[in-house]
Amino acid sequence: QVQLVESGGGLVQPGGSLRLSCAASGIIVRFYAIGWYRQAPGKQRELVAAISSGDTVNYADSVKGRFTISRDNAENTVYLQMNSLLPEDTAIYYCNRRPITYSWGQGTQVTVSS
């Protein structure tokens, strides 16, 4: 059974940083494209960043230059380093394969507020 468990969210002030983790079991993440997605209140879920099996990375325009996606093959975990956070980054963040393959997990809440 595949599980992708998100963690690392929290409350942070504008300009702050967080690092999200997507810990995988039942799947070897380095073999697949993995994405970080987010859903803000009242909005559709959107792709924020993705990393391919060949280490190609892609970012939504809204986060380019601020977010960095990476993968630790030994830990079987995908990370999302988020810097210079803005209030509009407030959302629940999820990870999944790209394209979306599995049921969504619980996600991790990121709140950017002063």
Side-chain angles (χ1 to χ4, degrees):
Q1 182 180 359
V2 175
Q3 278 194 312
L4 298 172
V5 180
E6 305 93 348
S7 64
L11 173 63
V12 63
Q13 292 187 341
S17 297
L18 285 172
R19 189 177 80 154
L20 306 184
S21 299
C22 171
S25 59
I27 177 180
I28 300 175
V29 292
R30 65 186 173 94
F31 291 158
Y32 303 98
I34 303 293
W36 278 100
Y37 304 79
R38 69 184 180 187
Q39 187 167 23
K43 295 188 177 181
Q44 289 191 333
R45 198 168 347 226
E46 62 174 348
L47 178 67
V48 173
I51 184 167
S52 74
S53 58
D55 293 333
T56 299
V57 297
N58 291 285
Y59 298 96
D61 287 344
S62 59
V63 306
K64 279 181 182 175
R66 300 189 297 120
F67 290 12
T68 303
I69 189 171
S70 62
R71 184 179 59 232
D72 185 323
N73 295 334
E75 295 294 326
N76 206 33
T77 298
V78 177
Y79 298 100
L80 185 67
Q81 177 67 44
M82 306 187 297
N83 299 328
S84 302
L85 282 161
L86 304 170
E88 48 263 46
D89 295 318
T90 295
I92 300 175
Y93 285 71
Y94 305 85
C95 59
N96 207 316
R97 278 179 59 180
R98 187 185 183 198
I100 296 164
T101 303
Y102 308 117
S103 298
W104 294 105
Q106 293 191 337
T108 186
Q109 175 71 50
V110 172
T111 303
V112 185
S113 174
S114 55

